[in-house]
Amino acid sequence: MLAVITGASRGIGESYARQLAARGYGLHVVARDAERLATLAAGLRAAHPVPVEEIVLDLALPDSAERLYAEVRGRRSAPVDLLVNNAGFGLYGEFTDTPTPRLQEMVYLQVVTVMKLMRLFLPEMRERGSGAIINVASVAGLLPVPYMALYAATKAFMVSLGLSVEQEVRPYGVFVQTCCPGQTLTDFHGTAGMSRPYASGGQQTADDVVAESLAAVDRRRPMVITGYRNRLYMHLQQFVPRQLVLWVTARRMKSHTGTGRASV
Ligand SMILES: NC(=O)c1ccc[n+]([C@@H]2O[C@H](COP(=O)([O-])OP(=O)(O)OC[C@H]3O[C@@H](n4cnc5c(N)ncnc54)[C@H](OP(=O)(O)O)[C@@H]3O)[C@@H](O)[C@H]2O)c1
């Protein structure tokens, strides 16, 4: 079994790498931080009898999906059983103030590259009649989020594309999971320019998110909202007028203290 995991150098992606290696998957781990990838890969090779290869790549570049696909094809001896589209980052602040190159980088990483990787890996999975893709979206993809407007929009794209394509490929024996975590304790909020997560309490660990995602893959669940608090919130907000939910979300997000130092 072979898995390709994007954004595996830290956080949720690193957790996918650890849990999939423990399940016996060989791995291609992908991110920009070569040092962190090398340390992760060495640790996994020592702990599990599986091959682990690093691919150092900036997935926000326009041709990065094609480069990743070519790299995997060039190196692998077995077919890819699982693609985890996990790499991503948030940007906190007013959309109107955010530099356009940063917005474009996010669209390349979380829209264009995700779309292209699915399009590149699905044909051979369909041909074989097996294989799976996990797209790590977010609960932010289920509800607009003022002050993280583009982030939520890219995740809404992932939710919509993943759920639609899942229906198309299921008859061929291929599976697509849309994974929607809520607040998770990783470097995400610091990278987004937030001094702290946007609500106190109730955050999950990356390990918990990934355990729920993989358990849902085992049960062939096309959509998983991780964490019971997140499931409860997403369920209850349906009964409240949309404008009111947006108003409350905007007030909560606006009152958040940003660090003013969003970084990738
Ligand atoms: N943490 C949360 O609260 C939360 C909630 C819902 C959904 N999510 C989603 O979960 C996913 C993982 O986030 P996380 O919480 O684990 O954040 P994280 O700890 O900041 O990890 C982000 C990962 O994405 C990689 N990445 C970022 N930009 C990249 C680029 N241009 N090219 C290649 N790799 C890139 C990073 O690696 P390098 O820096 O080494 O490139 C890192 O491995 C994201 O898609 C995020 O939107 C997170």
Side-chain angles (χ1 to χ4, degrees):
M1 293 183 298
L2 183 65
V4 176
I5 307 168
T6 71
S9 61
R10 294 180 274 136
I12 293 172
E14 180 179 341
S15 238
Y16 273 110
R18 294 190 185 286
Q19 293 188 33
L20 288 170
R23 283 173 171 234
Y25 278 83
L27 302 177
H28 289 298
V29 288
V30 190
R32 294 163 303 177
D33 190 328
E35 208 170 308
R36 285 193 69 107
L37 279 184
T39 306
L40 172 72
L44 291 177
R45 280 192 291 264
H48 307 283
V50 293
V52 182
E53 295 196 36
E54 309 106 80
I55 299 179
V56 179
L57 196 55
D58 183 347
L59 292 169
L61 299 176
D63 64 344
S64 55
E66 289 85 351
R67 284 168 58 190
L68 174 55
Y69 183 69
E71 189 78 25
V72 170
R73 282 196 82 101
R75 292 186 191 195
R76 72 175 181 206
S77 50
V80 171
D81 299 289
L82 176 63
L83 166 68
V84 185
N85 273 317
N86 164 77
F89 69 97
L91 285 172
Y92 173 73
E94 289 188 33
F95 174 80
T96 317
D97 294 331
T98 314
T100 303
R102 293 285 284 143
L103 297 170
Q104 186 169 301
E105 197 179 330
M106 179 176 278
V107 171
Y108 269 114
L109 182 63
Q110 283 149 216
V111 175
V112 178
T113 298
V114 169
M115 173 274 291
K116 283 185 179 177
L117 287 176
M118 289 177 72
R119 181 64 184 83
L120 286 163
F121 281 98
L122 277 172
E124 57 197 61
M125 291 182 178
R126 186 176 64 179
E127 178 103 346
R128 285 200 322 274
S130 69
I133 295 177
I134 299 172
N135 287 331
V136 182
S138 168
V139 291
L142 306 173
L143 191 68
V145 182
Y147 301 95
M148 287 190 88
L150 184 69
Y151 175 74
T154 64
K155 295 299 181 178
F157 170 89
M158 288 177 76
V159 170
S160 181
L161 185 70
L163 291 177
S164 300
V165 172
E166 200 277 331
Q167 288 291 321
E168 295 177 11
V169 299
R170 182 185 281 253
Y172 299 99
V174 180
F175 174 68
V176 178
Q177 179 188 90
T178 302
C179 174
C180 293
Q183 292 179 58
T184 309
L185 296 166
T186 66
D187 294 342
F188 176 87
H189 301 94
T191 302
M194 308 174 88
S195 54
R196 56 178 165 78
Y198 26 84
S200 52
Q203 292 95 351
Q204 288 191 287
T205 64
D207 285 347
D208 288 342
V209 167
V210 172
E212 279 192 51
S213 165
L214 294 181
V217 169
D218 294 339
R219 297 196 304 277
R220 286 296 197 251
R221 293 260 304 274
M223 167 79 153
V224 59
I225 298 173
T226 67
Y228 78 92
R229 282 175 193 245
N230 298 320
R231 285 192 290 278
L232 183 65
Y233 179 77
M234 293 317 297
H235 178 71
L236 292 179
Q237 61 84 26
Q238 298 174 85
F239 304 107
V240 180
R242 173 55 65 104
Q243 275 308 114
L244 180 57
V245 175
L246 282 172
W247 182 80
V248 171
T249 309
R251 281 178 67 92
R252 271 178 58 209
M253 292 298 292
K254 191 175 182 181
S255 68
H256 179 88
T257 322
T259 62
R261 288 195 315 275
S263 63
V264 177

